[in-house]
Amino acid sequence: MRVVTVPEFSPVSQQLRNVFDERFQDPRRTTPERFLWDYWYVKDQYTLHRTQAAAYFPEQLHEQLVDALLDYGEKQLGCRAISPVWMSYYIDGCGQDLHCDSFHGPFAYVLSLTPWEGRVFTGGCTTHLGLPALVQAIRSDYCCEPIETCVEGLACWAAAAGHACVRLWRCLYAAAALSRITACQ
C-alpha cells in the first residue's frame, strides 16, 4: 500500500500548532476553547480527545486549512470535497486500534502538528496496513509488517486500508500532546 507524505504541507500547519500550544500553555487559564474537547473512548478501539477543527481554530485560520486541504485533494487526488475536519490530541495511553475510514470517502489523511524532532514520548505514529496485509493481520492476530508514518505534515492513503495510531507512552500533558486532523472524502 502506498502512503503519500508531504512533510511541509502548508504554512498554515505551524500556525495551527501555535494556536494549540498557546491554548494549553497555562493549565490554570480557563477559556472556552479548553472545554471543547470530547474524551472519546470505545473499548478496544479508540482512546483520544477530539473536537471539530471549525470550533477550535479561529475562523480565518480554519478556512486557510480547508482551502489548503481542498487544493491538495483536487490537484493530487482528484478529490473535490472533504468531510468536516476533526482534530484530536493524545496523551499517555491514548491511541487508536486498527480500523478503516472508508465510510468517509476514498481517502484518509492525517495532518500531524506534532514537532517530531526531539520528542520525549514513544508512539503517536500512524501505522498503515494495506488490504492484503490487513487480511493477514486479522488472520494472524496483527503479526505483520506495518508501515509507520511519523511525519510532521500530511500523510494520505486509501481509506479502505487499515490503520491505527500507536499508543503514546511517557507523554507529558500538553507539552508533548499530539494534534491530528483526520478524514477525507
Side-chain angles (χ1 to χ4, degrees), residues 74-124:
E74 187 168 1
K75 289 179 181 173
Q76 303 298 321
L77 306 170
C79 186
R80 298 180 56 127
I82 59 173
S83 57
V85 180
W86 285 87
M87 180 176 180
S88 52
Y89 78 83
Y90 301 74
I91 57 174
D92 205 45
C94 287
Q96 296 183 31
D97 289 330
L98 190 62
H99 67 284
C100 71
D101 291 325
S102 57
F103 54 89
H104 289 297
F107 299 101
Y109 70 88
V110 169
L111 176 59
S112 176
L113 305 179
T114 300
W116 291 96
E117 288 283 320
R119 67 186 172 130
V120 294
F121 58 89
T122 61

Side-chain angles (χ1 to χ4, degrees), residues 24-101:
F24 278 92
Q25 185 175 12
D26 181 358
R28 290 185 176 90
R29 192 177 89 191
T30 56
T31 63
E33 298 84 11
R34 298 274 311 229
F35 296 95
L36 292 174
W37 297 95
D38 169 38
Y39 174 68
W40 193 33
Y41 174 77
V42 177
K43 188 176 190 253
D44 298 326
Q45 191 68 62
Y46 304 104
T47 306
L48 56 106
H49 301 84
R50 66 183 183 165
T51 191
Q52 288 195 356
Y56 187 77
F57 293 112
E59 185 176 351
Q60 183 178 3
L61 191 56
H62 179 260
E63 287 176 11
Q64 291 174 12
L65 166 66
V66 170
D67 288 346
L69 289 168
L70 287 171
D71 186 58
Y72 179 83
E74 187 168 1
K75 289 179 181 173
Q76 303 298 321
L77 306 170
C79 186
R80 298 180 56 127
I82 59 173
S83 57
V85 180
W86 285 87
M87 180 176 180
S88 52
Y89 78 83
Y90 301 74
I91 57 174
D92 205 45
C94 287
Q96 296 183 31
D97 289 330
L98 190 62
H99 67 284
C100 71
D101 291 325

Side-chain angles (χ1 to χ4, degrees), residues 116-166:
W116 291 96
E117 288 283 320
R119 67 186 172 130
V120 294
F121 58 89
T122 61
C125 299
T126 302
T127 301
H128 309 273
L129 299 175
L131 292 178
L134 180 57
V135 171
Q136 176 189 348
I138 291 169
R139 290 181 181 160
S140 63
D141 200 24
Y142 305 111
C143 296
C144 65
E145 289 290 322
I147 303 167
E148 284 199 349
T149 307
C150 299
V151 295
E152 185 174 350
L154 183 72
C156 185
W157 61 92
H163 63 280
C165 176
V166 179

